[in-house]
Amino acid sequence: QVQLVESGGGSVQAGGSLRLSCVASTISYSDNCMGWFRQAPGKEREGVAIISKYGGTQYADSVKGRFTISQDNTKDTLYLQMNNLKPEDTAMYYCAANPRFSGTCYFGIRERDFDYWGQGTQVTVAS
């Protein structure tokens, strides 16, 4: 009965910014590693960023320095601030929860550890 719902996607020009949000209806962010993944048309899903309950973060090399992941445990809300967007960032973005290691992102960005997924929000970046 866990639900993750993303919002904040849209269409922007290259160099613009967006902030994605993900609200959890059941799970506690204090006991999970949380992450953002994305999938572009014709490509495999890839990890973008993850954050542990302690606040530690990891980023894909392609977004490092441009994206920031954060969370508000009181509100059970996960965020992804995306700055200096590029056309190659165009994708469906998904939030996900990894409940296996008591809030620690033990193995880093490893998709099979994430058991709960949202339905996604579309991000389109035009030149």
Side-chain angles (χ1 to χ4, degrees):
Q1 296 178 359
V2 172
Q3 286 190 296
L4 302 173
V5 181
E6 304 95 335
S7 63
S11 298
V12 298
Q13 293 183 311
S17 298
L18 287 172
R19 189 176 76 158
L20 307 183
S21 300
C22 175
V23 178
S25 63
T26 302
I27 65 171
S28 173
Y29 281 23
S30 67
D31 199 33
N32 286 276
C33 165
M34 304 297 298
W36 288 97
F37 295 76
R38 67 185 182 185
Q39 186 170 25
K43 298 186 180 297
E44 296 182 358
R45 187 159 58 188
E46 63 177 350
V48 175
I50 56 173
I51 184 169
S52 77
K53 70 176 183 179
Y54 304 107
T57 59
Q58 296 182 49
Y59 296 90
D61 289 340
S62 60
V63 307
K64 194 173 299 182
R66 299 188 297 120
F67 291 10
T68 302
I69 187 172
S70 62
Q71 62 189 9
D72 184 335
N73 291 334
T74 300
K75 297 165 58 178
D76 282 339
T77 303
L78 180 72
Y79 302 99
L80 184 68
Q81 178 67 46
M82 304 184 295
N83 297 325
N84 192 24
L85 284 161
K86 303 176 180 180
E88 52 263 42
D89 294 318
T90 295
M92 184 73 74
Y93 283 71
Y94 302 88
C95 69
N98 174 359
R100 304 189 181 193
F101 310 109
S102 299
T104 300
C105 302
Y106 192 83
F107 291 104
I109 306 177
R110 194 170 74 171
E111 184 172 336
R112 66 178 180 270
D113 293 333
F114 290 79
D115 295 325
Y116 306 108
W117 296 82
Q119 292 186 320
T121 185
Q122 179 68 41
V123 171
T124 302
V125 184
S127 299

